[in-house]
Structures are given as structure tokens and as C-alpha cells.
Amino acid sequence: MAGKNVLIVYAHQSAGSFNAAAKDAAVELLTAQGCKVVVSDLYAMGFKATATKEDITGELKNAEHFRYGEETKVAWEENRLSADLVEEHKKVAEADLVIFQFPMYWFSMPAIMKGWIDRVLTQGFAYTPEKRYSQGPFKEKLAMLSFTTGSQESMFNSNGINGDMNVTLWPIQNGILYYCGFQVLAPQIFWAPPHITAEGRSSVLEGWRKRLLGLLSEPPLSFTPSDSFDTSSGFQLKSEVKEKQAEAEYGLTVGHHLGKPLPPNNQFRPTLCLGSA
């Protein structure tokens, strides 16, 4: 791990929170192993969450009909993005691993972190129509989610009131991280820290600290590679891929289930998740 660059994108308002403790543990343990760790503390930075024309310097290509994706792509190519985006681009470009540390809000991430994704992962820099998913610009980088929930683990399964956590994670891990090419490590889920004892929280945090010692050697989660899809038929799964999967008990992934049962633990590994059952 020595010499690796790690970016932690952190979204919590309180330095006394469990999320802050998880972030601090990552900084401590990864730094001790020789990594250079940089933290984007979004609330402390006052990071702007809204994607607007102010993210571009100079003239717009089409001021009458502003298209954020197209305008920021051109601005990136011409070095005309706002200073805060240039700085975050530099951090991402240098990172071997990006960790997103946050409390789960409404089955997703806080708005300020979603704003970071909307603004920083610009077209051209983070993806293009030709370079996405397994061929994305960040295919040599690792990324992972590390987050707390307000609900207990038992509420996030196929019988639980909140539904299967694998399904909840799919839009973020496949639709954002893997879309940009990241190799996605299994998320670190801290189940309902407010509902366990102080001793329990300490134990959970210790589990995270132990995981951090071997984090960069973990195998990534499995996603369907880009070359499994036929570009001439609207990016549908190739017939040979479907034929190969025909006798399988489960689908390929949560999103590419082929009408079969979802593959177990496709989007997280329960043994790595800690907290209240």
C-alpha cells in the first residue's frame, strides 16, 4: 500500500459523529501504511452542490439553451472549469482509491455528496459515450462506499421493510462508480450506530480498522463488462452471454438478472458490514 494515493470524499456536519470517527480511522490507518491521504470535507469546504453555469468560466457555447453536460465537457477540454472543480479533478486524477464516507439519506447519499458527483464527474473527465463501465477512464482506480444507516441490518433484506440492500446499492455502485470505470470494492456498511451501545460502536469501529489493513488487496465486486453487450442492437446482452447464463441458478448481477433470482450478495459482503442486526 506504500505510495498509494487515497481520496476520501466526506459528508457529515459533525466532527463528533460516527462518520467522522470512521473517516479519521481511515486517514490514520492508511497513512500509517504509507498512503498519501487527502480528504475533501464537503461541509467544511462549503462545497456547492448545484450544477450551474457558474461552474464554467468564459462564454457558453449555447447560452440560450444551457446543457450542463455538454457545456462542462467543452469547458473541461478547454480548461475553463471553475477553480473548485479543477481542484477536485486533480484529487481524483491522482487517487488510486476513492472512499465515499457518508450517512445514508433517503436510501442514497446526502445532497452535498450527490452534488460533488454531479459536478466533479464531468463528461470527458469521468466518462464518454465510448469509454464507460469496464472501459471507463477510471478503470485502473478503486472506489468504495463507507456509510452509516439509520435502520438495522434486518430491515435491509428481501423480507425486510426497507428491501434488499443489494438493490439499494445498485444505482450508486453500478450507475455511478462502475459507470466511470472504477473497480468497486465491497461497501463498508455500519448498521444503525445510534441504536447500539458505546461499546458496540467501538467494536464496530475496530472492525473497520482491521479491514483497512488489507483494503487495497481485496477483490472488487463483480459487474457485467462492456463487451458483453452488442452495440449494434441497442446495447443489449449478446446472445452468447445469455446462452451461457441460461442454465445458471441466478442472474448475472442485480441489474442484469435475466428474470432469475438475484445473485446473493452481489453488491455487498455481509461479513464486512458491522453493527446492529
Side-chain angles (χ1 to χ4, degrees), residues 104 107 147 149 153 155-158 162-170 173 187 189 191 254 267-268:
M104 178 174 275
F107 293 74
F147 62 93
T149 69
E153 180 181 7
M155 300 168 70
F156 279 106
N157 60 52
S158 58
N162 290 340
D164 192 335
M165 179 59 85
N166 287 284
V167 176
T168 299
L169 291 170
W170 177 258
Q173 295 188 152
I189 306 176
W191 302 109
V254 168
Q267 292 296 294
F268 76 104

Side-chain angles (χ1 to χ4, degrees), residues 133-134 143 166 169-179 181-187 220-229 252-256 266-268:
Y133 294 114
S134 59
N166 287 284
L169 291 170
W170 177 258
I172 303 174
Q173 295 188 152
N174 179 78
I176 298 174
L177 302 183
Y178 185 57
Y179 190 91
F182 283 113
Q183 298 177 57
V184 185
L185 297 179
L221 297 171
S222 176
F223 295 87
T224 308
S226 302
D227 61 9
S228 296
F229 299 88
L252 285 167
T253 63
V254 168
H256 309 111
N266 179 246
Q267 292 296 294
F268 76 104

Side-chain angles (χ1 to χ4, degrees), residues 39-156:
V39 178
S40 285
D41 185 340
L42 301 184
Y43 286 106
M45 293 161 59
F47 188 82
K48 182 173 79 75
T50 52
T52 65
K53 63 183 179 181
E54 284 70 36
D55 295 344
I56 299 159
T57 62
E59 293 185 6
L60 299 175
K61 297 300 179 181
N62 187 343
E64 293 185 4
H65 182 28
F66 178 67
R67 297 181 177 90
Y68 188 84
E70 295 178 11
E71 293 283 357
T72 51
K73 177 179 182 293
V74 173
W76 173 73
E77 293 170 341
E78 299 177 353
N79 298 311
R80 293 190 297 106
L81 288 173
S82 59
D84 61 337
L85 295 188
V86 172
E87 179 62 23
E88 295 306 298
H89 276 189
K90 180 175 183 291
K91 295 175 187 177
V92 174
E94 293 177 350
D96 298 294
L97 166 65
V98 181
I99 300 174
F100 294 87
Q101 181 65 58
F102 60 95
M104 178 174 275
Y105 280 11
W106 293 109
F107 293 74
S108 186
M109 56 185 60
I112 197 168
M113 181 170 283
K114 182 55 165 59
W116 186 95
I117 286 168
D118 290 346
R119 297 181 63 226
V120 175
L121 300 183
T122 53
Q123 186 177 172
F125 172 67
Y127 68 94
T128 70
E130 299 77 26
K131 295 182 178 180
R132 49 185 172 172
Y133 294 114
S134 59
Q135 299 303 314
F138 302 152
K139 62 184 180 180
E140 302 300 325
K141 300 179 184 291
L142 299 171
M144 70 173 293
L145 308 179
S146 176
F147 62 93
T148 57
T149 69
S151 299
Q152 298 175 344
E153 180 181 7
S154 60
M155 300 168 70
F156 279 106

Side-chain angles (χ1 to χ4, degrees), residues 10-24 41 43-44:
Y10 169 68
H12 200 287
Q13 306 91 330
S14 173
S17 66
F18 189 90
N19 273 274
K23 178 261 296 178
D24 291 344
D41 185 340
Y43 286 106

